[in-house]
Amino acid sequence: MSYIYMKILERRPARYDAGIRRLSGQDWPAIREKILQGVKPGERVLEIGCGPGTLALELARRGAQVLALDHNPEMLTYARGQAAEAGVQVEFGKLPAEELARLQGRFDWVVASLSFSELRPIVRRAVLVWLRRLLKEGGRLVVVDEVVPESAGAWWRYQLSRAWHGLLTWLRTRKTTRPLSDFQAELSEAGYRILCEETLAPGNLRLWEAQPGEQDALPEPAVLSGGWGLSDWVESFFLWLSSHLLKVPFRPGLYRIGRPGPEAPLLATSNYRLTVNLVRKHLAGRDAWLLVNDTRGVNVWCSAGEGTFSAAEIALTLAASRADRFVSHRQLILPKLCLNGVNRREVKERSGFRALIGPVYARDLPAYLDHSYEKTEVMEQVHFNFWDRMWIGVPFTLLLVLVPGVLALGLGRWIRPTLPLWFALAGMLIAVSYTWLPTRRHLVKGLILGALLAAAGGVYLFWQQAPGIRIGRSMALLLALELFVTADFSGATPVSNRTLVEQEFKWIYIILVILIVLYFALPSLKEVWPW
């Protein structure tokens, strides 16, 4: 089976253990016994992701002092009830538990079952570093988690099960899990020495036992090439052209540009691959550290607005990459466009690094670094001239054209081939004229441009001697199209006021509904698309 379905079982704490047993076919009492076998009475145990508390209660019955953590309040409530009913002493707490920093070096054991597969890779790396600090000298970490089976038969059964259970889980919870891959390498990078690794039948579970190494292992950060050749141009061109179609993330972590020493500047950016390429290009020939944050493959401006480029994410990446061991200073240069989502004081509180605000554009980084982190007025300004709008508008229009273009090819009998051209015109119209319109309100911009597009469509159909009803329906549809495109384009601009946009969107939705109702309310014609 796939343990992805446990995200649904978590909603029913009383049925969690039974559900996991039925779905997995695993002998979980035997697995728990493997975890318990080395724990002695009086030892302190930290359990990450305790669920309904079954393992925590068994540890307490054997005389261990247990602190059990979970992110699910329902699970914790149920687990506390089970502990009270059993008459055992277990301390339960909610994740994330940042106050655990005061318990550094206090635990003999840290155990986690089916927990690490719920975490993003960068979070796993940070958690492993964090847990290492909580273990006593000679303490041990035990992890039991999901892996992809290696045998062909088990692999197929696993993939089919995961596809089905994954779909059900996503539809009900919008969450997923990630089977661990090369987890032993992650343990080694975090400074652990692996004592035991055992695959449990039927092959989709694995147990690791590890302890902090005698020496604090520090794997060298990867080097980003300082050169910029034809392959870089080709890759960046493809990334730019497909930027509204595909997300191509860069692996988060700490990277070296050139040969940076402990005093070299530390800069942060998103893991949008095109952004990383541009930063690397403009820092060619210099020595610097680059902290790439996991923004799910989204650029700095948008990810900060979405909350994925945040003080918490920055602190997480700093911890996971152990940046404090490579740089002697405690200064981190942030791109100015992240300020809509990053609190500088919170960065300091969470990571110990003082956040400096760099220029808006990567091309200004060399001058900024050469002048001791001093910005000129030009470096502070966000430009949105014609070429900036084309930088956004061309990929944006490509996305608009692609969908109706594919529909026109497949459904040519019902959809006229000119439909993609109207979408292209709608996209380029807002990109070209965005700053020329005498208003900051996207609703007004959309209505002005929509009226122009509708008028152009009306004149064209009148010249084609189309019936009046067809002209009216077409004009209503073109006005709705441009209004929708303008609203969508607002998210790609650096001049949007989030509060104002949210207010405007309510009116945009109302007007769109009215126009669509008007389109279908008019006497229908034989053709679905009137032009």
Side-chain angles (χ1 to χ4, degrees), residues 109-225:
W109 295 84
V110 174
V111 298
S113 57
L114 300 181
S115 296
F116 278 90
S117 55
E118 297 188 45
L119 306 177
R120 291 179 287 127
I122 190 68
V123 180
R124 284 203 302 268
R125 287 152 59 189
V127 169
L128 286 172
V129 171
W130 175 59
L131 293 178
R132 189 179 186 279
R133 295 170 181 164
L134 299 181
L135 283 167
K136 293 180 179 179
E137 184 177 352
R140 299 194 177 191
L141 169 70
V142 179
V143 176
V144 176
D145 223 313
E146 178 183 10
V147 294
V148 178
E150 296 177 354
S151 67
W155 186 91
W156 278 107
R157 288 192 298 273
Y158 171 85
Q159 296 295 351
L160 291 173
S161 173
R162 182 173 179 82
W164 169 244
H165 289 116
L167 176 62
L168 291 178
T169 302
W170 186 86
L171 289 174
R172 294 191 61 180
T173 69
R174 296 299 190 271
K175 295 180 180 179
T176 188
T177 63
R178 301 166 180 83
L180 300 187
S181 174
D182 203 20
F183 188 61
Q184 59 271 30
E186 294 184 18
L187 286 168
S188 298
E189 288 180 7
Y192 291 88
R193 181 167 58 92
I194 299 174
L195 304 176
C196 170
E197 182 177 355
E198 180 181 353
T199 300
L200 307 175
N204 59 348
L205 270 187
R206 192 167 295 168
L207 181 147
W208 293 269
E209 184 175 337
Q211 65 180 177
E214 295 181 2
Q215 295 184 348
D216 195 355
L218 277 178
E220 284 293 317
V223 179
L224 291 180
S225 171

Side-chain angles (χ1 to χ4, degrees), residues 341-382:
V342 177
N343 184 304
R344 296 170 62 187
R345 180 179 297 177
E346 189 179 353
V347 172
K348 175 69 174 177
E349 292 173 352
R350 286 178 174 269
S351 68
F353 279 77
R354 175 172 169 247
L356 305 178
I357 305 304
V360 172
Y361 298 101
R363 61 175 176 261
D364 292 324
L365 281 173
Y368 172 75
L369 296 175
D370 289 342
H371 291 84
S372 303
Y373 307 159
E374 291 290 334
K375 297 192 295 290
T376 64
E377 185 177 346
V378 174
M379 293 181 188
E380 298 267 16
Q381 295 175 349
V382 177

